[in-house]
Amino acid sequence: MALSAAHAQARFFGTGPGTTAADLVLASALEGRSVDWDVATRHYADTLDGVCALDVSPQELRAARVLTVGGIAFIRPGTGALQLPGHVRAAVIDLRELPEAPGLEEALARAIGAVSNAPITRLSERVRHHTGLTDETAPIDEYSNYINFVDLRAREPLVATGQAELPVALLTGPRLAPAAARFAVDLRMARRAWLVGASVHAEVAESRWMPVKSKGVLVRTSRLEDAWGAVPDVIPADLPLTHFGPVAGHSEAIPSARALQSVAGLGMPAPVDRTAPVVRNAPLTRNPLEVMPPSEASSGIARAGLVIVHGATRLFFPYFATVGDGIDGRLLETLASVDAVPVTEREQTLRLLLRFTEVLHDGHGFAFAPGTPPPAGYFAALLEEVAEEPVIRRSAMAEVHPGDTVTSVDGWPMSEWLAREKALSSAATPGFKYDVAIRRLLRMNGPTTFGLRDVEGVTRFVQVQPQPQMLLGPPSLRGAGSLEDLGAPELHFINLSSYLLKTPAAFRAALTAAQGARGLVVDVRAGPGINTYEVAMRLIQESFSAPLFRFPVWRGADERGVHEEEFPLDPLSGPSYAGPIVLLVSPRSVSSAENLSMMLTGTRRVTVVGRRSAGTNGSVTKMLLPGSMNVWFTGMEVLYPDRTRFHGVGIVPDIEVSPTASDLATGRDPELLRAIEFLRTGQ
């Protein structure tokens, strides 16, 4: 988990190579029957530019200490407040061997603040900025919700709390914690302090410390700049560290009283020499369309994929507070699976990634293996969950009939088959989880024997040959028009499925035809294929707001925020519809269908009939992983305009209606019939 966090820093914020190169280094480090994570960390850091590993035992920050010698304060930064006598004339702040522990930056700020009476300007940082996780499989365009770029981030000045502006010397050694190095560079470039001892390397000051077991990893994540550009690669020490000697009561070596006294007369240091060219690289925006070279499946590739997705979701998945945070345990579980059974096929990696995404409880959580040979064929049927069993709604196979319940697959009871596949199916609601799992029944590797129970309760076993095409389409193939054939000529129906209604012009024509109808049924039991905002603006008769979209934002590795977008919308006319509306939803109503449904239900414009929707809205983000695998997940949080939760709740019907096997056998649409009944009776 620590290496996951370190790699996420290098991948998303680092100044080294692109994501593909970094990911492949990680995969190489994690190869083998099992992994020694210390060895893997060293291999990873030694190979990847912009990263290095050190053997450092974790230490806690000690309490701050102040020793006063002849009016000179010798300060060792640490926890707690600093008390300086009023007669102090200068200060020496000892940065040597300070641990990179929580609270170090605050301790350093307290130390310089206590001997300053004016704020101290700090250098700006050029860092990677992420608004969401950029799609790694498609180019960024004007419609992309998620972007990344290089940003120049100003840092808040160090606050002064002292009564006077005292001369300051910073003691530096050959090894400095990154926070201490950054502090030293800030103060020296501001001409606020002298450097006494070792020179300070800007790359250390620009790095982030990530502890990994008995080692630590330094990942360079920024470039320090001021108005004149990047700071020099090395900030040279102004004075050597000489005249050391012990002081009574202190075990560590500190400058002698004579050396301390000399600090009072130092004055202000000269500007740092900037004539030498800066040679270290600046962070560059990664190419979102990097190509992952082909490779055979391996345990290292599988482990790397799991570690990469863990680190990415830790940074960018927005719903842990809603669904719970189980990704650490799931990472350990899936890595243990790799140790138990070496990975030699892409299908193994795919199923491991699916198992990981399941813990996100996200209806957009999928894994794919592009380039994998297609299956032998398909089980050409449209399946529907009825009483927790898969039932055929439509079939392109003569031996498989609408209304048949699938009871087994090659002798495997369907309940056991589903339990296995649900463990690999990420979803926010039970109905959509079932739908995601059952889709895998449609891909066939060869002739398969299915147990089928007809509506009379008789079970037969049928060997099905793989079909050349998958049977696709919405639950209802009914197009837009009058409901006269169902005895309701005064009512109208519009099916928004992308299979039936493909253009905004077609929707406007259907809505024009509905003018004068006493009621309208709008079917979103499958995904719409047109702009749902236009649909909402033609059905809602007052000004309203789109859902609230909240994007995770990272300005560099340390500054996390949230960007919110909310769009006011006004009604459209010519055509529009002002009469009563029933909205049909199902577990397959997901994402764009739910976005429309949120607007319609949020304005109390519709009565909802059917079954609970998928509970998943928001744009998908897509990751490219070693082995040319893809993982998807929802990259933004979506709320109702009043900030109430949607994820995992979905669109809950006002009138719940579920089909039976007999309904499917006869082609009866009970949801539509119930919608007609409500529009005619109000009940």
Side-chain angles (χ1 to χ4, degrees):
M1 287 182 285
L3 186 55
S4 164
H7 181 68
Q9 295 298 310
R11 193 181 198 275
F12 296 113
F13 305 107
T15 62
T19 56
T20 295
D23 289 349
L24 292 177
V25 167
L26 180 66
S28 173
L30 298 182
E31 285 291 2
R33 185 69 175 81
S34 61
V35 175
D36 181 319
W37 292 87
D38 270 347
V39 173
T41 299
R42 173 67 71 181
H43 174 90
Y44 172 80
D46 287 349
T47 310
L48 187 60
D49 185 36
V51 179
C52 67
L54 298 172
D55 293 305
V56 178
S57 300
Q59 300 178 44
E60 293 184 356
L61 193 62
R62 297 180 180 178
R65 288 170 292 166
V66 178
L67 174 69
T68 304
V69 178
I72 310 300
F74 180 83
I75 301 172
R76 180 70 171 174
T79 61
L82 288 171
Q83 299 295 330
L84 298 183
H87 66 279
V88 168
R89 296 180 292 114
V92 175
I93 301 176
D94 190 359
L95 305 182
R96 297 169 300 168
E97 301 299 328
L98 287 173
E100 184 71 22
L104 178 57
E105 288 198 31
E106 294 79 2
L108 294 168
R110 286 193 296 271
I112 191 62
V115 295
S116 304
N117 65 2
I120 302 157
T121 300
R122 294 195 291 176
L123 297 163
S124 297
E125 290 182 302
R126 196 165 294 277
V127 295
R128 293 186 186 274
H129 177 120
H130 294 269
T131 299
L133 173 54
T134 308
D135 186 343
E136 297 176 359
T137 67
I140 298 175
D141 60 29
E142 60 180 316
Y143 302 107
S144 298
N145 285 307
Y146 309 127
I147 59 173
N148 75 86
F149 54 90
V150 173
D151 190 14
L152 186 61
R153 181 180 69 177
R155 296 158 66 219
E156 292 294 324
L158 294 166
V159 177
T161 59
Q163 301 300 312
E165 193 81 354
L166 305 181
V168 176
L170 304 178
L171 301 189
T172 58
R175 286 188 4 166
L176 288 178
R182 192 158 48 248
F183 177 77
V185 174
D186 278 333
L187 267 60
R188 183 60 186 86
M189 293 300 297
R191 302 175 66 190
R192 179 64 189 90
W194 297 74
L195 298 187
V196 180
S199 298
V200 179
H201 290 258
E203 285 185 316
V204 177
E206 295 167 341
S207 295
R208 181 177 173 85
W209 174 253
M210 306 294 294
V212 182
K213 206 174 177 181
S214 63
K215 289 180 169 52
V217 175
L218 278 176
V219 182
R220 184 168 168 249
T221 59
S222 68
R223 188 173 76 168
L224 293 172
E225 298 185 7
D226 59 15
W228 292 272
V231 303
D233 295 318
V234 178
I235 311 299
D238 298 296
L239 300 168
L241 196 56
T242 56
H243 307 296
F244 270 73
V247 174
H250 291 263
S251 59
E252 62 189 22
I254 65 172
S256 65
R258 180 178 176 182
L260 286 172
Q261 294 289 346
S262 67
V263 174
L266 286 176
M268 177 182 288
V272 173
D273 181 11
R274 305 184 74 158
T275 57
V278 175
V279 299
R280 68 189 187 282
N281 292 328
L284 301 174
T285 301
R286 69 169 180 81
N287 179 1
L289 287 178
E290 291 189 64
V291 177
M292 184 66 69
S295 60
E296 298 295 328
S298 71
S299 294
I301 284 176
R303 290 187 185 104
L306 293 166
V307 168
I308 293 163
V309 175
H310 175 273
T313 51
R314 175 64 68 210
L315 292 174
F316 293 104
F317 184 62
Y319 284 117
F320 288 124
T322 300
V323 304
D325 183 353
I327 65 171
D328 290 354
R330 188 58 55 87
L331 177 63
L332 297 178
E333 174 200 315
T334 49
L335 288 173
S337 296
V338 179
D339 289 348
V341 181
V343 173
T344 58
E345 298 179 359
R346 296 187 82 206
E347 179 68 17
Q348 290 174 272
T349 305
L350 178 64
R351 294 180 74 83
L352 286 163
L353 292 170
L354 288 169
R355 177 60 181 159
F356 183 89
T357 60
E358 188 275 339
V359 79
L360 299 177
H361 306 295
D362 175 21
H364 289 145
F366 294 102
F368 301 95
T372 300
Y378 303 95
F379 185 61
L382 190 68
L383 294 162
E384 197 75 64
E385 181 187 3
V386 176
E388 300 185 358
E389 292 184 297
V391 179
I392 307 298
R393 182 183 277 273
R394 290 196 297 275
S395 171
M397 302 169 289
E399 65 273 33
V400 180
H401 311 138
D404 284 345
T405 299
V406 183
T407 60
S408 64
V409 182
D410 279 338
W412 198 352
M414 182 51 58
S415 58
E416 296 180 15
W417 187 95
L418 276 170
R420 181 193 68 170
E421 296 304 321
K422 282 185 177 181
L424 308 179
S425 302
S426 183
T429 59
F432 193 63
K433 190 179 190 72
Y434 194 100
D435 182 67
V436 172
I438 206 66
R439 295 177 199 177
R440 300 196 190 105
L441 192 67
L442 305 181
R443 298 172 65 88
M444 299 174 63
N445 294 320
T448 304
T449 299
F450 290 89
L452 301 171
R453 186 180 69 239
D454 64 23
V455 292
E456 303 299 327
V458 178
T459 299
R460 67 191 189 280
F461 295 92
V462 177
Q463 187 180 71
V464 176
Q465 298 297 320
Q467 301 299 301
Q469 290 185 326
M470 188 180 293
L471 185 64
L472 302 173
S476 172
L477 294 174
R478 185 185 187 98
S482 169
L483 292 171
E484 183 177 5
D485 61 311
L486 295 178
E490 76 281 14
L491 304 179
H492 211 81
F493 176 82
I494 298 179
N495 192 335
L496 291 178
S497 167
S498 59
Y499 290 91
L500 299 169
L501 196 146
K502 300 180 181 298
T503 66
F507 169 70
R508 293 176 207 133
L511 198 59
T512 299
Q515 300 304 299
R518 291 177 55 189
L520 178 64
V521 180
V522 177
D523 191 346
V524 292
R525 289 177 290 180
I530 61 173
N531 185 318
T532 58
Y533 294 102
E534 179 178 342
V535 175
M537 289 188 286
R538 294 190 183 279
L539 297 180
I540 298 171
Q541 305 300 300
E542 59 188 14
S543 296
F544 63 100
S545 290
L548 177 64
F549 303 105
R550 306 182 78 240
F551 302 78
V553 174
W554 286 95
R555 293 189 69 204
D558 300 302
E559 184 180 330
R560 189 184 192 281
V562 175
H563 171 68
E564 294 189 353
E565 291 184 358
E566 187 173 9
F567 305 102
L569 299 168
D570 294 316
L572 293 174
S573 58
S576 63
Y577 185 78
I581 302 174
V582 167
L583 184 70
L584 300 183
V585 299
S586 80
R588 290 195 183 98
S589 303
V590 61
S591 202
S592 62
E594 293 184 296
N595 197 57
L596 171 62
S597 301
M598 290 178 73
M599 292 183 280
L600 294 173
T601 58
T603 55
R604 303 182 184 276
R605 182 68 183 91
V606 297
T607 299
V608 181
V609 172
R611 291 170 290 161
R612 182 155 66 122
S613 68
T616 303
N617 190 12
S619 296
V620 181
T621 191
K622 304 172 185 178
M623 298 189 66
L624 178 64
L625 302 175
S628 298
M629 311 297 284
N630 293 168
V631 164
W632 299 7
F633 59 88
T634 305
M636 65 173 72
E637 182 183 25
V638 183
L639 303 171
Y640 282 101
D642 64 359
R643 296 184 177 270
T644 53
R645 169 184 165 184
F646 179 79
H647 189 86
V649 176
I651 304 299
V652 179
D654 300 298
I655 302 171
E656 186 157 353
V657 179
S658 298
T660 65
S662 295
D663 291 328
L664 302 181
T666 60
R668 184 175 181 270
D669 189 339
E671 296 103 318
L672 177 56
L673 294 176
R674 186 66 180 87
I676 292 171
E677 179 185 356
F678 177 82
L679 287 171
R680 302 188 93 182
T681 67
Q683 302 294 323

